[in-house]
Amino acid sequence: MQIYVCIKHVPDSAANISIIGKNSIDENVNFLLNPYDEHALTEAARIKNNLPGTEVIAVCLGKADAEKTLRSALAMGADRGILIAKEKNYDSRVTALALKAAIEHDGKPGLIFTGKESIDEGGMQTMFRIGALFDFPVATNVVKLDIEADRAVVVCELSGGITHTYEMSLPCVMGTGRGLNTPRYPTFPDVVKSKKKPVQKIAFTDLNIKVSLAGMRVIELKPLYQARQPKEIKGDATVVAKELIRILKQEAKVL
Amino acid sequence: MDKKVDAIIIGAGVIGCPIAYELSKIGYKTLTVDKHTDAGEGSTAGSCAIVRAHYSTADGVAMAYEGFKYWLNWEKYLDNVKDEKGLARYMNTGSLLVKSQGHDWKKVQKNYDEVGVKYEEWDNDKIKKMIPIVDLHEFWPITRPEDPAFYNEPVKELEGGIFCPEGGYVNDPTLSAHNIMRAAEAKGAKFMFNAEVVDIRSENGKVTGITLKDGTRIDARIVVNVGGPHSFKINKMAKGVWEGCNIKTKALRHEVMYCPSPEGYDYLNDGYHMSDGDIGCYVRPEVGNTFLVGSEDPDCDPQEWVDPDTFYAGKGGHGKDNVLTEEQWKAQCYRLGKRIPTLSVPNQPKGVVDLYDCSDDWIPVYDKSDLPGYYMAIGTSGNQYKNAPVVGHMMAKLIDACEKGLDHDKEPLQYKFKYTDRSTNVGFFSRKREINYNSSFSVNG
């Protein structure tokens, strides 16, 4: 089986983001693998371990610098990479068309993974658009996955922590969520091995994608400034612990 | 709120607080001012707080070893003061110096012998027994991941290391400064926060006090610059001081990483502080069973000298601001990943970016100045945290002696350590010295 993992090269969430003009950011910051895609890669590597003969291919639509993110994916277990080199940013519709074209050109997908969203734009659309283009079933925020002979049994988490279990025919598309696994990060020997893995580069323009008039574009980006208002909890350990529990229960509502 | 005290200390970090403490103990009325909201909130907060004795000079070793005694007897040093935040803890893990081409370890060993530092020599088998996760191949020379040579297969083995059982680290550097502040307050010292110094005033060739940003003027016959990365800016405020220093200070950006310990290895409880010149890293355990990975500033790494105000405001851009860079994250973690092949390196950098107050030869300036009444404890270059209590005592002795008429430039003060049977020539730290080429010119000191 061929497993395609669609990955995105995104700005580090810890970066000092500054907006240039009205609708773009200064890209001279750290870029890295979209964190949701790490779960996809880890899951793909797990399936590969259980199903001999499986090949994991990471696919990325990105600018030239995205090759290093593809290398991160190879270090996390992908066997090879495909970089669709673009010079400008596209919406999720064009992104899905490009990923579909590259995957179709490359092989025969048994499974396609994406992260459930990207941390830069958070559109949560790419997996559905890929599914529609291939006419494959799609599940998102997948937190458990079992591959059986010709089907996948998936558990998806909805808002509020509710889960639904689905049975899906293969091939299918999955948007992976944080609950799926603990990402398996590379060791230095993994990094060394990944340097020898191939990355194929395709120019976006060579995919002959028809960019129609329908589409989305960012008109304006506005920074959200949130003043931090730290409050010190004073008192002995018992008082501090009680107040902390109260805050977690009543204010943060996480307990 | 204009007022008058004997001595103003600028900077309530881990070095400013002990100076206030020791001066208060010998009767000086002190006021410590700091632009932050509490003690230890400046570059002290970003310190790795490592306590180790290996320095490139015998004086350096002696001072660090003297410092051990303070950390090992922390409550006694603080005169059993109560701190509502609790006490910082000295984590006496022991400290391993890997014998490598990156350190002049033979000189360190000679210095250990001269000073009387307790140590053991560990061969590779012993290191493997004590730290089973390490690969003891030699990876020298240090390169960067962008360089193909970084991936060369190692062929030779290292030659063991020198283990110093009294070394370790302090678990909370900010809290340690806070503890000393509380101890100083118990001796009458006063502290003022959110107080940024904008002028050092002088009259008739003598310091007379400071002016704060809000216009407050505080008079004192003694002013001590312990401004950390801002030290050069403060020196420039005092008439003739900057010009009178042969050794200058400036702020160097420095990144320290947190990388999770390999699965199954309890680094937090079983690990040691380790200085590994072969890969240019030092490590110590950190909360969450992570490796705190510092850099020993190998020549191949970029050095970024920055304006501290711009840096702390998060400005300056990639590699100059207060955000970790992916390039340095990979450089440091992959270097450690050579030594620990099971170390998993996450994609997102995690760690601390802060500033060294760095002198021209990476050795601090503990001295008077060309402006009578104005003193400085600066240029700590990322390696003086461990010495802070000793420096506090030594600076108080220096200030007191100079105020009583000693011409320290002509007849340098000989400082007698409290615990180690040894004196040190405080002139070693003079602002007037020529660059000391015995220095390692790195955080190793």
Side-chain angles (χ1 to χ4, degrees), chain A residues 12-13 16 28 30 32-33 38 68 76 185-189 191 195, chain B residues 150-151 314 318 321-324 326 338 341 343-348:
Chain A
D12 184 347
S13 57
N16 287 326
N28 186 25
N30 288 341
L32 38 75
L33 182 62
E38 294 177 343
K68 65 180 186 190
M76 288 186 75
Y185 292 117
T187 62
F188 182 65
V191 172
K195 290 187 78 68
Chain B
F150 189 81
Y151 305 92
H318 185 75
D321 63 11
N322 56 356
V323 176
L324 296 172
E326 191 225 0
K338 292 183 181 192
L343 185 82
S344 292
V345 181
N347 293 311
Q348 186 181 35

PDB file of all heavy atoms in Angstrom, chain A residues 12-13 16 28 30 32-33 38 68 76 185-189 191 195, chain B residues 150-151 314 318 321-324 326 338 341 343-348:
ATOM      1  N   ASP A  12       6.443  28.870  12.922  1.00  0.00           N
ATOM      2  CA  ASP A  12       6.468  28.394  14.309  1.00  0.00           C
ATOM      3  C   ASP A  12       5.490  29.236  15.139  1.00  0.00           C
ATOM      4  O   ASP A  12       5.492  30.466  15.046  1.00  0.00           O
ATOM      5  CB  ASP A  12       7.909  28.584  14.833  1.00  0.00           C
ATOM      6  CG  ASP A  12       8.111  28.032  16.229  1.00  0.00           C
ATOM      7  OD1 ASP A  12       7.117  27.725  16.905  1.00  0.00           O
ATOM      8  OD2 ASP A  12       9.282  27.928  16.645  1.00  0.00           O
ATOM      9  N   SER A  13       4.666  28.569  15.930  1.00  0.00           N
ATOM     10  CA  SER A  13       3.682  29.307  16.738  1.00  0.00           C
ATOM     11  C   SER A  13       4.357  30.203  17.772  1.00  0.00           C
ATOM     12  O   SER A  13       3.741  31.114  18.308  1.00  0.00           O
ATOM     13  CB  SER A  13       2.736  28.326  17.430  1.00  0.00           C
ATOM     14  OG  SER A  13       3.486  27.421  18.209  1.00  0.00           O
ATOM     15  N   ASN A  16       7.795  35.615  16.581  1.00  0.00           N
ATOM     16  CA  ASN A  16       7.248  36.981  16.619  1.00  0.00           C
ATOM     17  C   ASN A  16       6.710  37.261  15.222  1.00  0.00           C
ATOM     18  O   ASN A  16       7.467  37.523  14.306  1.00  0.00           O
ATOM     19  CB  ASN A  16       8.347  37.999  16.944  1.00  0.00           C
ATOM     20  CG  ASN A  16       8.766  37.939  18.398  1.00  0.00           C
ATOM     21  OD1 ASN A  16       7.953  37.683  19.278  1.00  0.00           O
ATOM     22  ND2 ASN A  16      10.045  38.181  18.660  1.00  0.00           N
ATOM     23  N   ASN A  28      10.437  35.821   7.405  1.00  0.00           N
ATOM     24  CA  ASN A  28      11.789  35.620   7.944  1.00  0.00           C
ATOM     25  C   ASN A  28      11.703  35.192   9.423  1.00  0.00           C
ATOM     26  O   ASN A  28      12.210  35.855  10.318  1.00  0.00           O
ATOM     27  CB  ASN A  28      12.617  36.898   7.787  1.00  0.00           C
ATOM     28  CG  ASN A  28      14.061  36.684   8.208  1.00  0.00           C
ATOM     29  OD1 ASN A  28      14.563  35.561   8.172  1.00  0.00           O
ATOM     30  ND2 ASN A  28      14.723  37.748   8.641  1.00  0.00           N
ATOM     31  N   ASN A  30      11.079  31.288  11.964  1.00  0.00           N
ATOM     32  CA  ASN A  30      11.188  29.822  11.872  1.00  0.00           C
ATOM     33  C   ASN A  30       9.952  29.256  11.192  1.00  0.00           C
ATOM     34  O   ASN A  30       8.827  29.621  11.535  1.00  0.00           O
ATOM     35  CB  ASN A  30      11.246  29.188  13.268  1.00  0.00           C
ATOM     36  CG  ASN A  30      12.547  29.435  13.979  1.00  0.00           C
ATOM     37  OD1 ASN A  30      13.556  29.764  13.366  1.00  0.00           O
ATOM     38  ND2 ASN A  30      12.526  29.266  15.290  1.00  0.00           N
ATOM     39  N   LEU A  32       8.264  25.372  10.284  1.00  0.00           N
ATOM     40  CA  LEU A  32       8.444  23.961  10.625  1.00  0.00           C
ATOM     41  C   LEU A  32       7.244  23.149  10.166  1.00  0.00           C
ATOM     42  O   LEU A  32       6.297  23.684   9.602  1.00  0.00           O
ATOM     43  CB  LEU A  32       8.708  23.800  12.123  1.00  0.00           C
ATOM     44  CG  LEU A  32       7.957  24.692  13.117  1.00  0.00           C
ATOM     45  CD1 LEU A  32       6.541  24.232  13.257  1.00  0.00           C
ATOM     46  CD2 LEU A  32       8.656  24.657  14.449  1.00  0.00           C
ATOM     47  N   LEU A  33       7.325  21.863  10.448  1.00  0.00           N
ATOM     48  CA  LEU A  33       6.262  20.938  10.073  1.00  0.00           C
ATOM     49  C   LEU A  33       5.009  21.255  10.890  1.00  0.00           C
ATOM     50  O   LEU A  33       5.078  21.365  12.120  1.00  0.00           O
ATOM     51  CB  LEU A  33       6.770  19.519  10.379  1.00  0.00           C
ATOM     52  CG  LEU A  33       5.881  18.333  10.056  1.00  0.00           C
ATOM     53  CD1 LEU A  33       5.601  18.240   8.565  1.00  0.00           C
ATOM     54  CD2 LEU A  33       6.553  17.052  10.531  1.00  0.00           C
ATOM     55  N   GLU A  38       2.429  15.945  12.241  1.00  0.00           N
ATOM     56  CA  GLU A  38       3.335  15.020  12.944  1.00  0.00           C
ATOM     57  C   GLU A  38       2.577  13.758  13.352  1.00  0.00           C
ATOM     58  O   GLU A  38       3.119  12.656  13.317  1.00  0.00           O
ATOM     59  CB  GLU A  38       3.900  15.687  14.203  1.00  0.00           C
ATOM     60  CG  GLU A  38       4.822  16.867  13.914  1.00  0.00           C
ATOM     61  CD  GLU A  38       5.309  17.544  15.182  1.00  0.00           C
ATOM     62  OE1 GLU A  38       4.702  17.328  16.253  1.00  0.00           O
ATOM     63  OE2 GLU A  38       6.309  18.290  15.093  1.00  0.00           O
ATOM     64  N   LYS A  68      13.146  21.676   3.757  1.00  0.00           N
ATOM     65  CA  LYS A  68      13.637  21.251   5.075  1.00  0.00           C
ATOM     66  C   LYS A  68      12.504  20.641   5.909  1.00  0.00           C
ATOM     67  O   LYS A  68      12.730  19.736   6.716  1.00  0.00           O
ATOM     68  CB  LYS A  68      14.349  22.383   5.807  1.00  0.00           C
ATOM     69  CG  LYS A  68      13.516  23.537   6.192  1.00  0.00           C
ATOM     70  CD  LYS A  68      14.376  24.576   6.903  1.00  0.00           C
ATOM     71  CE  LYS A  68      13.470  25.684   7.407  1.00  0.00           C
ATOM     72  NZ  LYS A  68      14.164  26.835   7.900  1.00  0.00           N
ATOM     73  N   MET A  76      11.039  11.568  10.256  1.00  0.00           N
ATOM     74  CA  MET A  76       9.999  10.958  11.102  1.00  0.00           C
ATOM     75  C   MET A  76       9.465   9.662  10.503  1.00  0.00           C
ATOM     76  O   MET A  76       8.514   9.080  11.027  1.00  0.00           O
ATOM     77  CB  MET A  76       8.853  11.939  11.322  1.00  0.00           C
ATOM     78  CG  MET A  76       9.224  13.072  12.258  1.00  0.00           C
ATOM     79  SD  MET A  76       7.823  14.141  12.643  1.00  0.00           S
ATOM     80  CE  MET A  76       6.898  13.119  13.800  1.00  0.00           C
ATOM     81  N   TYR A 185       9.427  11.563  17.436  1.00  0.00           N
ATOM     82  CA  TYR A 185      10.387  12.509  16.871  1.00  0.00           C
ATOM     83  C   TYR A 185      11.688  11.803  16.510  1.00  0.00           C
ATOM     84  O   TYR A 185      12.045  10.787  17.109  1.00  0.00           O
ATOM     85  CB  TYR A 185      10.646  13.646  17.864  1.00  0.00           C
ATOM     86  CG  TYR A 185       9.430  14.514  18.048  1.00  0.00           C
ATOM     87  CD1 TYR A 185       8.790  14.621  19.286  1.00  0.00           C
ATOM     88  CD2 TYR A 185       8.890  15.209  16.970  1.00  0.00           C
ATOM     89  CE1 TYR A 185       7.657  15.405  19.441  1.00  0.00           C
ATOM     90  CE2 TYR A 185       7.756  15.990  17.119  1.00  0.00           C
ATOM     91  CZ  TYR A 185       7.144  16.083  18.352  1.00  0.00           C
ATOM     92  OH  TYR A 185       6.025  16.846  18.488  1.00  0.00           O
ATOM     93  N   PRO A 186      12.407  12.357  15.543  1.00  0.00           N
ATOM     94  CA  PRO A 186      13.607  11.659  15.057  1.00  0.00           C
ATOM     95  C   PRO A 186      14.801  11.772  16.002  1.00  0.00           C
ATOM     96  O   PRO A 186      14.985  12.786  16.678  1.00  0.00           O
ATOM     97  CB  PRO A 186      13.912  12.374  13.738  1.00  0.00           C
ATOM     98  CG  PRO A 186      13.281  13.712  13.857  1.00  0.00           C
ATOM     99  CD  PRO A 186      12.105  13.569  14.772  1.00  0.00           C
ATOM    100  N   THR A 187      15.606  10.737  15.998  1.00  0.00           N
ATOM    101  CA  THR A 187      16.904  10.774  16.674  1.00  0.00           C
ATOM    102  C   THR A 187      17.936  11.244  15.646  1.00  0.00           C
ATOM    103  O   THR A 187      17.626  11.341  14.445  1.00  0.00           O
ATOM    104  CB  THR A 187      17.294   9.366  17.154  1.00  0.00           C
ATOM    105  OG1 THR A 187      17.408   8.537  15.996  1.00  0.00           O
ATOM    106  CG2 THR A 187      16.256   8.788  18.100  1.00  0.00           C
ATOM    107  N   PHE A 188      19.150  11.475  16.100  1.00  0.00           N
ATOM    108  CA  PHE A 188      20.178  11.902  15.142  1.00  0.00           C
ATOM    109  C   PHE A 188      20.421  10.820  14.072  1.00  0.00           C
ATOM    110  O   PHE A 188      20.505  11.149  12.881  1.00  0.00           O
ATOM    111  CB  PHE A 188      21.475  12.288  15.859  1.00  0.00           C
ATOM    112  CG  PHE A 188      22.523  12.767  14.912  1.00  0.00           C
ATOM    113  CD1 PHE A 188      22.349  13.936  14.174  1.00  0.00           C
ATOM    114  CD2 PHE A 188      23.694  12.038  14.717  1.00  0.00           C
ATOM    115  CE1 PHE A 188      23.300  14.369  13.271  1.00  0.00           C
ATOM    116  CE2 PHE A 188      24.644  12.471  13.814  1.00  0.00           C
ATOM    117  CZ  PHE A 188      24.454  13.635  13.093  1.00  0.00           C
ATOM    118  N   PRO A 189      20.494   9.529  14.446  1.00  0.00           N
ATOM    119  CA  PRO A 189      20.630   8.515  13.385  1.00  0.00           C
ATOM    120  C   PRO A 189      19.472   8.555  12.376  1.00  0.00           C
ATOM    121  O   PRO A 189      19.683   8.323  11.180  1.00  0.00           O
ATOM    122  CB  PRO A 189      20.656   7.188  14.164  1.00  0.00           C
ATOM    123  CG  PRO A 189      21.212   7.572  15.513  1.00  0.00           C
ATOM    124  CD  PRO A 189      20.667   8.938  15.795  1.00  0.00           C
ATOM    125  N   VAL A 191      17.939  11.254  11.447  1.00  0.00           N
ATOM    126  CA  VAL A 191      18.229  12.428  10.615  1.00  0.00           C
ATOM    127  C   VAL A 191      19.273  12.066   9.557  1.00  0.00           C
ATOM    128  O   VAL A 191      19.141  12.421   8.384  1.00  0.00           O
ATOM    129  CB  VAL A 191      18.722  13.608  11.498  1.00  0.00           C
ATOM    130  CG1 VAL A 191      19.216  14.767  10.632  1.00  0.00           C
ATOM    131  CG2 VAL A 191      17.608  14.075  12.429  1.00  0.00           C
ATOM    132  N   LYS A 195      18.702  11.915   5.228  1.00  0.00           N
ATOM    133  CA  LYS A 195      19.438  12.720   4.240  1.00  0.00           C
ATOM    134  C   LYS A 195      19.641  11.956   2.932  1.00  0.00           C
ATOM    135  O   LYS A 195      19.847  12.557   1.888  1.00  0.00           O
ATOM    136  CB  LYS A 195      20.794  13.160   4.815  1.00  0.00           C
ATOM    137  CG  LYS A 195      20.629  14.193   5.920  1.00  0.00           C
ATOM    138  CD  LYS A 195      21.940  14.759   6.366  1.00  0.00           C
ATOM    139  CE  LYS A 195      22.491  15.792   5.429  1.00  0.00           C
ATOM    140  NZ  LYS A 195      21.729  17.030   5.366  1.00  0.00           N
TER     141      LYS A 195
ATOM    142  N   PHE B 150      29.349  17.438   9.203  1.00  0.00           N
ATOM    143  CA  PHE B 150      28.614  17.173  10.441  1.00  0.00           C
ATOM    144  C   PHE B 150      28.198  15.693  10.520  1.00  0.00           C
ATOM    145  O   PHE B 150      28.062  15.143  11.595  1.00  0.00           O
ATOM    146  CB  PHE B 150      27.365  18.063  10.477  1.00  0.00           C
ATOM    147  CG  PHE B 150      26.617  18.073  11.780  1.00  0.00           C
ATOM    148  CD1 PHE B 150      27.043  18.867  12.831  1.00  0.00           C
ATOM    149  CD2 PHE B 150      25.471  17.299  11.968  1.00  0.00           C
ATOM    150  CE1 PHE B 150      26.358  18.900  14.042  1.00  0.00           C
ATOM    151  CE2 PHE B 150      24.783  17.320  13.170  1.00  0.00           C
ATOM    152  CZ  PHE B 150      25.228  18.129  14.208  1.00  0.00           C
ATOM    153  N   TYR B 151      28.024  15.088   9.347  1.00  0.00           N
ATOM    154  CA  TYR B 151      27.476  13.722   9.311  1.00  0.00           C
ATOM    155  C   TYR B 151      28.563  12.665   9.134  1.00  0.00           C
ATOM    156  O   TYR B 151      28.263  11.496   8.916  1.00  0.00           O
ATOM    157  CB  TYR B 151      26.416  13.640   8.192  1.00  0.00           C
ATOM    158  CG  TYR B 151      25.355  14.696   8.391  1.00  0.00           C
ATOM    159  CD1 TYR B 151      25.470  15.957   7.794  1.00  0.00           C
ATOM    160  CD2 TYR B 151      24.269  14.476   9.235  1.00  0.00           C
ATOM    161  CE1 TYR B 151      24.526  16.953   8.018  1.00  0.00           C
ATOM    162  CE2 TYR B 151      23.322  15.467   9.461  1.00  0.00           C
ATOM    163  CZ  TYR B 151      23.462  16.700   8.860  1.00  0.00           C
ATOM    164  OH  TYR B 151      22.533  17.683   9.108  1.00  0.00           O
ATOM    165  N   GLY B 314      11.623  42.067  22.016  1.00  0.00           N
ATOM    166  CA  GLY B 314      11.223  41.082  20.996  1.00  0.00           C
ATOM    167  C   GLY B 314      11.454  41.590  19.594  1.00  0.00           C
ATOM    168  O   GLY B 314      10.868  41.088  18.638  1.00  0.00           O
ATOM    169  N   HIS B 318      14.714  37.672  13.046  1.00  0.00           N
ATOM    170  CA  HIS B 318      15.175  36.290  13.199  1.00  0.00           C
ATOM    171  C   HIS B 318      16.660  36.225  13.573  1.00  0.00           C
ATOM    172  O   HIS B 318      17.497  36.832  12.919  1.00  0.00           O
ATOM    173  CB  HIS B 318      14.948  35.561  11.876  1.00  0.00           C
ATOM    174  CG  HIS B 318      15.273  34.106  11.912  1.00  0.00           C
ATOM    175  ND1 HIS B 318      14.461  33.173  12.523  1.00  0.00           N
ATOM    176  CD2 HIS B 318      16.328  33.405  11.425  1.00  0.00           C
ATOM    177  CE1 HIS B 318      15.000  31.977  12.398  1.00  0.00           C
ATOM    178  NE2 HIS B 318      16.134  32.084  11.732  1.00  0.00           N
ATOM    179  N   ASP B 321      16.319  38.452  17.808  1.00  0.00           N
ATOM    180  CA  ASP B 321      15.308  38.729  18.823  1.00  0.00           C
ATOM    181  C   ASP B 321      15.304  37.622  19.883  1.00  0.00           C
ATOM    182  O   ASP B 321      16.211  36.784  19.932  1.00  0.00           O
ATOM    183  CB  ASP B 321      13.931  38.928  18.174  1.00  0.00           C
ATOM    184  CG  ASP B 321      13.439  37.665  17.468  1.00  0.00           C
ATOM    185  OD1 ASP B 321      14.050  36.596  17.645  1.00  0.00           O
ATOM    186  OD2 ASP B 321      12.436  37.753  16.743  1.00  0.00           O
ATOM    187  N   ASN B 322      14.259  37.634  20.717  1.00  0.00           N
ATOM    188  CA  ASN B 322      14.226  36.703  21.853  1.00  0.00           C
ATOM    189  C   ASN B 322      13.453  35.421  21.544  1.00  0.00           C
ATOM    190  O   ASN B 322      12.808  34.853  22.417  1.00  0.00           O
ATOM    191  CB  ASN B 322      13.652  37.416  23.080  1.00  0.00           C
ATOM    192  CG  ASN B 322      12.282  38.009  22.806  1.00  0.00           C
ATOM    193  OD1 ASN B 322      11.798  37.958  21.676  1.00  0.00           O
ATOM    194  ND2 ASN B 322      11.648  38.564  23.821  1.00  0.00           N
ATOM    195  N   VAL B 323      13.520  34.988  20.299  1.00  0.00           N
ATOM    196  CA  VAL B 323      12.885  33.718  19.912  1.00  0.00           C
ATOM    197  C   VAL B 323      13.991  32.772  19.439  1.00  0.00           C
ATOM    198  O   VAL B 323      14.896  33.172  18.710  1.00  0.00           O
ATOM    199  CB  VAL B 323      11.864  33.952  18.768  1.00  0.00           C
ATOM    200  CG1 VAL B 323      11.276  32.632  18.294  1.00  0.00           C
ATOM    201  CG2 VAL B 323      10.749  34.881  19.226  1.00  0.00           C
ATOM    202  N   LEU B 324      13.872  31.498  19.856  1.00  0.00           N
ATOM    203  CA  LEU B 324      14.861  30.498  19.429  1.00  0.00           C
ATOM    204  C   LEU B 324      14.860  30.379  17.907  1.00  0.00           C
ATOM    205  O   LEU B 324      13.822  30.541  17.283  1.00  0.00           O
ATOM    206  CB  LEU B 324      14.490  29.117  19.985  1.00  0.00           C
ATOM    207  CG  LEU B 324      14.480  28.904  21.488  1.00  0.00           C
ATOM    208  CD1 LEU B 324      13.887  27.535  21.774  1.00  0.00           C
ATOM    209  CD2 LEU B 324      15.870  28.982  22.077  1.00  0.00           C
ATOM    210  N   GLU B 326      15.452  27.958  14.537  1.00  0.00           N
ATOM    211  CA  GLU B 326      15.423  26.549  14.167  1.00  0.00           C
ATOM    212  C   GLU B 326      16.849  26.058  13.879  1.00  0.00           C
ATOM    213  O   GLU B 326      17.200  24.925  14.215  1.00  0.00           O
ATOM    214  CB  GLU B 326      14.539  26.418  12.925  1.00  0.00           C
ATOM    215  CG  GLU B 326      14.201  25.006  12.576  1.00  0.00           C
ATOM    216  CD  GLU B 326      14.371  24.753  11.106  1.00  0.00           C
ATOM    217  OE1 GLU B 326      14.742  25.682  10.364  1.00  0.00           O
ATOM    218  OE2 GLU B 326      14.170  23.595  10.708  1.00  0.00           O
ATOM    219  N   LYS B 338      24.339  13.203  18.751  1.00  0.00           N
ATOM    220  CA  LYS B 338      25.483  12.340  18.418  1.00  0.00           C
ATOM    221  C   LYS B 338      25.943  11.620  19.682  1.00  0.00           C
ATOM    222  O   LYS B 338      26.249  10.427  19.657  1.00  0.00           O
ATOM    223  CB  LYS B 338      26.644  13.186  17.881  1.00  0.00           C
ATOM    224  CG  LYS B 338      26.380  13.823  16.528  1.00  0.00           C
ATOM    225  CD  LYS B 338      27.629  14.564  16.077  1.00  0.00           C
ATOM    226  CE  LYS B 338      27.421  15.247  14.751  1.00  0.00           C
ATOM    227  NZ  LYS B 338      28.670  15.715  14.161  1.00  0.00           N
ATOM    228  N   PRO B 341      22.490   8.774  21.088  1.00  0.00           N
ATOM    229  CA  PRO B 341      21.816   8.415  19.833  1.00  0.00           C
ATOM    230  C   PRO B 341      20.322   8.130  19.982  1.00  0.00           C
ATOM    231  O   PRO B 341      19.613   8.115  18.981  1.00  0.00           O
ATOM    232  CB  PRO B 341      22.557   7.151  19.374  1.00  0.00           C
ATOM    233  CG  PRO B 341      23.791   7.060  20.212  1.00  0.00           C
ATOM    234  CD  PRO B 341      23.546   7.822  21.467  1.00  0.00           C
ATOM    235  N   LEU B 343      18.295  10.069  21.702  1.00  0.00           N
ATOM    236  CA  LEU B 343      17.627  11.333  22.012  1.00  0.00           C
ATOM    237  C   LEU B 343      16.711  11.724  20.844  1.00  0.00           C
ATOM    238  O   LEU B 343      17.174  11.878  19.719  1.00  0.00           O
ATOM    239  CB  LEU B 343      18.687  12.430  22.207  1.00  0.00           C
ATOM    240  CG  LEU B 343      18.188  13.795  22.650  1.00  0.00           C
ATOM    241  CD1 LEU B 343      17.985  13.820  24.167  1.00  0.00           C
ATOM    242  CD2 LEU B 343      19.180  14.894  22.261  1.00  0.00           C
ATOM    243  N   SER B 344      15.412  11.882  21.122  1.00  0.00           N
ATOM    244  CA  SER B 344      14.485  12.310  20.078  1.00  0.00           C
ATOM    245  C   SER B 344      14.399  13.833  20.080  1.00  0.00           C
ATOM    246  O   SER B 344      14.247  14.439  21.140  1.00  0.00           O
ATOM    247  CB  SER B 344      13.089  11.742  20.336  1.00  0.00           C
ATOM    248  OG  SER B 344      13.117  10.348  20.170  1.00  0.00           O
ATOM    249  N   VAL B 345      14.481  14.410  18.899  1.00  0.00           N
ATOM    250  CA  VAL B 345      14.505  15.875  18.808  1.00  0.00           C
ATOM    251  C   VAL B 345      13.203  16.364  18.166  1.00  0.00           C
ATOM    252  O   VAL B 345      12.969  16.134  16.979  1.00  0.00           O
ATOM    253  CB  VAL B 345      15.718  16.352  17.964  1.00  0.00           C
ATOM    254  CG1 VAL B 345      15.739  17.870  17.890  1.00  0.00           C
ATOM    255  CG2 VAL B 345      17.015  15.809  18.547  1.00  0.00           C
ATOM    256  N   PRO B 346      12.334  17.002  18.949  1.00  0.00           N
ATOM    257  CA  PRO B 346      11.072  17.510  18.386  1.00  0.00           C
ATOM    258  C   PRO B 346      11.319  18.533  17.277  1.00  0.00           C
ATOM    259  O   PRO B 346      12.407  19.108  17.177  1.00  0.00           O
ATOM    260  CB  PRO B 346      10.381  18.168  19.585  1.00  0.00           C
ATOM    261  CG  PRO B 346      10.990  17.529  20.790  1.00  0.00           C
ATOM    262  CD  PRO B 346      12.411  17.251  20.403  1.00  0.00           C
ATOM    263  N   ASN B 347      10.289  18.766  16.461  1.00  0.00           N
ATOM    264  CA  ASN B 347      10.452  19.730  15.367  1.00  0.00           C
ATOM    265  C   ASN B 347      10.388  21.171  15.854  1.00  0.00           C
ATOM    266  O   ASN B 347      10.991  22.053  15.262  1.00  0.00           O
ATOM    267  CB  ASN B 347       9.367  19.499  14.308  1.00  0.00           C
ATOM    268  CG  ASN B 347       9.558  18.162  13.611  1.00  0.00           C
ATOM    269  OD1 ASN B 347      10.654  17.844  13.158  1.00  0.00           O
ATOM    270  ND2 ASN B 347       8.511  17.352  13.568  1.00  0.00           N
ATOM    271  N   GLN B 348       9.594  21.394  16.911  1.00  0.00           N
ATOM    272  CA  GLN B 348       9.461  22.774  17.387  1.00  0.00           C
ATOM    273  C   GLN B 348      10.506  23.071  18.457  1.00  0.00           C
ATOM    274  O   GLN B 348      10.590  22.359  19.459  1.00  0.00           O
ATOM    275  CB  GLN B 348       8.068  23.036  17.963  1.00  0.00           C
ATOM    276  CG  GLN B 348       7.905  24.519  18.308  1.00  0.00           C
ATOM    277  CD  GLN B 348       6.552  24.871  18.906  1.00  0.00           C
ATOM    278  OE1 GLN B 348       5.978  24.083  19.647  1.00  0.00           O
ATOM    279  NE2 GLN B 348       6.065  26.059  18.606  1.00  0.00           N
TER     280      GLN B 348
END
